[in-house]
């Protein structure tokens, strides 16, 4: 087996864990099945992750990074701030539709962490990560456009995290594609209403 830097090996194992957990469920995914999915020995897994908590946290962070990367690229400045915000929501939504199983896994990870003694802090960290990510995206927008917010960044970030979380779960349960353009337009208009000219 070729040697690779430990950070790269951790990424490989994390992606393997995402595939295994998506297929088999969080509770049924074992360190052995993740190692097999990644094509490495169990000892390599234990060298990279000293606990299942560390692995679950890495999985949560990596899944978030998957869609944040797409959104970050999408919110480059457009003709209007509203168009820029809409492009960001559309990029996120396209990711949800293309990877529904991965987004379903995020909810399973939350429930697993809340029910597993000693893992509760991971569910809290997961939702803090969502809010922190929105705060970063808002600051990215503020750096490229001249505007003031009607609410503090942390409030808007947490609101956006809660709103997209609810919309995502709604889509995963109902699976109705038909009305989502109108829903995204409504969300965009609402968010734009919280923005003021300088």
């Amino acid at each position: 087996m070729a040697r690779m830097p430990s950070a790269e090996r951790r990424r490989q194992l994390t992606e393997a864990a995402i595939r295994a957990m998506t297929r088999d469920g969080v509770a049924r995914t074992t360190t052995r099945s993740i190692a097999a999915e990644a094509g490495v020995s169990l000892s390599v897994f234990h060298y990279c992750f000293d606990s299942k908590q560390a692995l679950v946290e890495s999985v949560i962070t990596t899944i978030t990074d998957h869609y944040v990367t797409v959104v970050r690229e999408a919110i480059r400045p457009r003709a209007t701030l509203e168009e820029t915000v809409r492009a960001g929501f559309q990029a996120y939504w396209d990711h949800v539709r293309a990877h529904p199983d991965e987004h379903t896994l995020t909810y399973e990870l939350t429930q697993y962490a809340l029910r597993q003694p000693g893992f509760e802090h991971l569910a809290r960290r997961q939702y803090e990560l969502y809010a922190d990510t929105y705060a970063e995206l808002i600051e990215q927008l503020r750096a490229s456009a001249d505007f003031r917010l009607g609410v503090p960044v942390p409030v808007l970030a947490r609101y956006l995290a809660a709103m997209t979380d609810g919309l995502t779960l709604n889509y995963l349960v109902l699976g109705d594609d038909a009305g989502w353009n109108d829903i995204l337009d409504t969300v965009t208009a609402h968010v734009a209403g919280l923005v003021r000219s300088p």
Side-chain angles (χ1 to χ4, degrees):
M1 177 191 328
R3 291 183 61 82
M4 65 172 66
S6 60
E8 190 175 337
R9 184 67 79 189
R10 281 174 62 92
R11 278 193 298 275
Q12 177 194 23
L13 284 162
T14 299
E15 294 291 352
I18 291 169
R19 291 191 303 274
M21 289 176 175
T22 298
R23 182 184 62 239
D24 304 328
V26 176
R28 289 189 303 276
T29 300
T30 64
T31 54
R32 189 174 302 279
S33 68
I34 294 168
E37 181 77 26
V40 301
S41 68
L42 197 54
S43 62
V44 169
F45 178 93
H46 289 298
Y47 174 77
C48 293
F49 292 101
D50 59 3
S51 68
K52 192 166 185 183
Q53 287 185 5
L55 171 70
V56 169
E57 185 163 15
S58 183
V59 165
I60 290 168
T61 302
T62 300
I63 290 175
T64 304
D65 286 346
H66 285 174
Y67 64 79
V68 169
T69 300
V70 176
V71 173
R72 189 169 279 128
E73 291 169 3
I75 60 172
R76 66 186 185 282
R78 316 248 171 181
T80 67
L81 180 63
E82 192 162 344
E83 287 176 36
T84 304
V85 170
R86 179 63 166 81
F89 282 127
Q90 187 65 56
Y92 171 78
W93 204 251
D94 290 344
H95 192 277
V96 171
R97 292 172 63 201
H99 306 278
D101 291 343
E102 194 170 287
H103 286 271
T104 299
L105 176 59
T106 64
Y107 295 98
E108 187 177 350
L109 286 164
T110 305
Q111 293 300 315
Y112 178 83
L114 288 173
R115 291 177 178 274
Q116 194 74 15
F119 281 62
E120 301 89 345
H121 69 284
L122 293 179
R124 182 178 183 84
R125 178 65 198 121
Q126 179 182 10
Y127 277 76
E128 288 171 346
L129 177 62
Y130 295 164
D132 291 348
T133 298
Y134 267 110
E136 288 173 21
L137 292 171
I138 292 165
E139 294 299 350
Q140 178 183 330
L141 268 177
R142 285 173 69 166
S144 64
D146 196 16
F147 64 85
R148 289 186 305 118
L149 294 173
V151 294
V153 170
V155 173
L156 181 57
R158 198 161 175 187
Y159 168 75
L160 291 172
M163 184 266 305
T164 51
D165 188 54
L167 288 176
T168 303
L169 186 56
N170 187 277
Y171 173 76
L172 293 172
V173 171
L174 298 178
D176 177 18
D177 275 340
W180 285 100
N181 276 333
D182 290 341
I183 291 169
L184 293 183
D185 287 343
T186 301
V187 169
T188 300
H190 183 229
V191 172
L194 299 174
V195 176
R196 301 170 181 159
S197 299

